[in-house]
């Protein structure tokens, strides 16, 4: 789920005026501390790596979330952006911020969908893009360590001649440490898992500059039963507990054969039934994605495709020639028993890439249905195009709305509230992907309950007692 914050109709016409006031509040709260810290920040990473310009601050104060365009008052820019080059600089910069009580907001590539990079209390944005080294590749152990500026596509390009790859694919070319920070997943999760299953170790800089290695410095065990799982504590922490400066990731062998297929169905139910039965049959399918008829039509128009405008599954199989024959036959037989069409195959790389690019472009295809409007992604459904990772029980409803129409905004807001609580009532989660950020804090409280939230708050208080690390995210404001 991705939930709109509460928004009264009376607030919308005054949005710009409120934004200007809020920006002033964000900045003035830390101005005195910032003036005292600037020379120390520059002494750590150089004059050229400490920027105060409005354009760079605005760029680092927003992501691709609804908060950036519908609720811009929530997306305050930081007071300064720093560009560290190594963990030593990150640690030293954090110590300066800690001394001057300046909030710290980590920034990767800005592709998040929950307002996680907004500097709601001003402060210092740590832009990590200059830390872009791939380190410590262990081919025989199937793992690699990367710095926070390395993106998913950059890593797989680096691995191209090794016979290995990193399969977690959220669609966007996000930074890998950013993906860990939000516990990202994507189309391959049904076979390879999410970031939570694929991070072996993390190097983390805490609010006071302390450097922690969650599984021990330099260690990369395939499995461990040694103590608390500190690695998973920081996976999904969204920068609220520390800055991720290295991630050791699990790698996989590149499959000998990859084939993709498209299958059309007479109804949503028949497509879902086929998915469940394919998984129950033990088919190790790599991807199985669902698009409803509205989304198929949108993708056809946007990506120049010609698939039947009916509920559709996109499937992908990984393995050897021998193993794939049985997998494909089982999946095709099950699909046809539920009224599915013959599989339309995409075997060569170019055709497969076109197919999956169309799936990843679903967001933009939905936008094109109503030019000039905006879309927001909801990880479940109602009226609006539906696309999703049906193989692991997560799908998105993309609501295309006019942000200048307060009545339509209010309708979508009420719908998302009902939808989130329906998911929780069915013992699900308010966020299968994308994290909590600004938009789901109240829902997180409802999902976890009072006792679990008390433990969560205690962990935050212990690791970040001054509430400097990305304040205002995940947890409700103190006293709120």
């Amino acid at each position: 789920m991705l939930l709109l914050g509460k928004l009264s109709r009376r607030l919308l016409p005054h949005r710009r005026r409120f934004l200007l006031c809020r920006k002033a509040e964000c900045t003035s709260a830390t101005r005195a501390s910032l003036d005292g810290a600037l020379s120390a920040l520059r002494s750590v990473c150089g004059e050229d790596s400490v920027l105060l310009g409005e354009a760079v601050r605005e760029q680092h104060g927003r992501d691709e979330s609804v908060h950036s365009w519908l609720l811009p008052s929530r997306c305050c820019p930081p007071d300064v952006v720093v560009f560290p080059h190594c963990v030593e600089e990150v640690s030293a910069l954090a110590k300066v911020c800690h001394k001057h009580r300046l909030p710290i907001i980590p920034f990767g590539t800005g592709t998040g969908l929950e307002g996680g990079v907004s500097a709601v209390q001003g402060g210092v944005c740590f832009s990590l893009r200059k830390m872009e080294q791939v380190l410590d590749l262990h081919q025989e152990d199937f793992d690699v360590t990367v710095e926070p500026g390395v993106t998913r596509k950059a890593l797989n390009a680096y691995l191209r001649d090794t016979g290995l790859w990193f399969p977690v694919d959220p669609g966007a070319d996000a930074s890998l440490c950013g993906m860990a920070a939000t516990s990202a997943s994507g189309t391959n999760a049904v076979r390879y898992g999410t970031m939570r299953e694929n991070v072996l170790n993390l190097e983390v800089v805490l609010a006071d500059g302390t450097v922690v290695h969650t599984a021990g410095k330099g260690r990369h065990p395939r499995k461990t039963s040694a103590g608390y799982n500190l690695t998973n504590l920081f996976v999904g922490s969204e920068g609220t507990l520390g800055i991720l400066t290295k991630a050791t990731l699990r790698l996989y062998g590149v499959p000998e054969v990859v084939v993709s297929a498209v299958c059309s169905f007479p109804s949503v139910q028949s497509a879902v039934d086929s998915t469940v039965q394919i998984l129950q049959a033990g088919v190790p399918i790599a991807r199985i994605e669902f698009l409803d008829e509205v989304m198929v039509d949108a993708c056809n128009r946007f990506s120049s495709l010609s698939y039947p405008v009916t509920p559709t599954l996109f499937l992908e199989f990984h393995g050897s020639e021998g193993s794939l024959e049985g997998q494909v036959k089982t999946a095709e037989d099950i699909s046809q028993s539920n009224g599915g069409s013959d599989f339309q195959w995409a075997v060569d790389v170019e055709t497969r890439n076109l197919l999956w690019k169309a799936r990843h472009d679903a967001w933009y295809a939905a936008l094109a249905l109503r030019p000039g409007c905006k879309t927001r992604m909801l990880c479940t459904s109602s009226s609006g195009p539906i696309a999703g990772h049906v193989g692991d029980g997560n799908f998105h409803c993309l609501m295309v709305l006019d942000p200048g129409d307060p009545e339509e905004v209010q309708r979508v807001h009420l719908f998302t509230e009902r939808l989130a609580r329906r998911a929780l009532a069915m013992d699900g989660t308010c966020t299968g992907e994308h994290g909590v950020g600004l938009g789901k804090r109240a829902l997180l409280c409802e999902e976890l309950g009072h006792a679990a939230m008390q433990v969560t708050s205690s962990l935050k208080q212990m690791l970040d007692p001054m509430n400097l690390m990305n304040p205002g995210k995940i947890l409700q404001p103190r006293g709120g």
Side-chain angles (χ1 to χ4, degrees), residues 374-402:
K374 298 286 186 179
T375 187
R376 46 170 334 216
M377 190 175 288
L378 315 170
C379 298
T380 324
S381 89
S382 179
S383 60
I386 299 172
H389 320 307
V390 66
D392 56 11
N394 165 212
F395 60 98
H396 310 285
C397 179
L398 283 76
M399 306 297 291
V400 184
L401 71 157
D402 180 0

Side-chain angles (χ1 to χ4, degrees), residues 61 113 128-129 139 152 168 180 187 198-200 213 246 257 265 273 275 279-280 332 363 379-380 386 419 453 474:
L113 291 171
L128 303 167
R129 70 184 188 192
Q139 291 183 240
R152 174 181 62 86
V168 180
T187 56
N198 286 288
V199 178
L200 303 175
H213 297 88
K246 287 189 183 71
V257 179
F265 290 86
D273 289 343
T275 301
L279 296 175
Q280 288 175 336
E332 193 163 23
W363 176 286
C379 298
T380 324
I386 299 172
L419 187 58
M453 287 305 301
I474 297 184

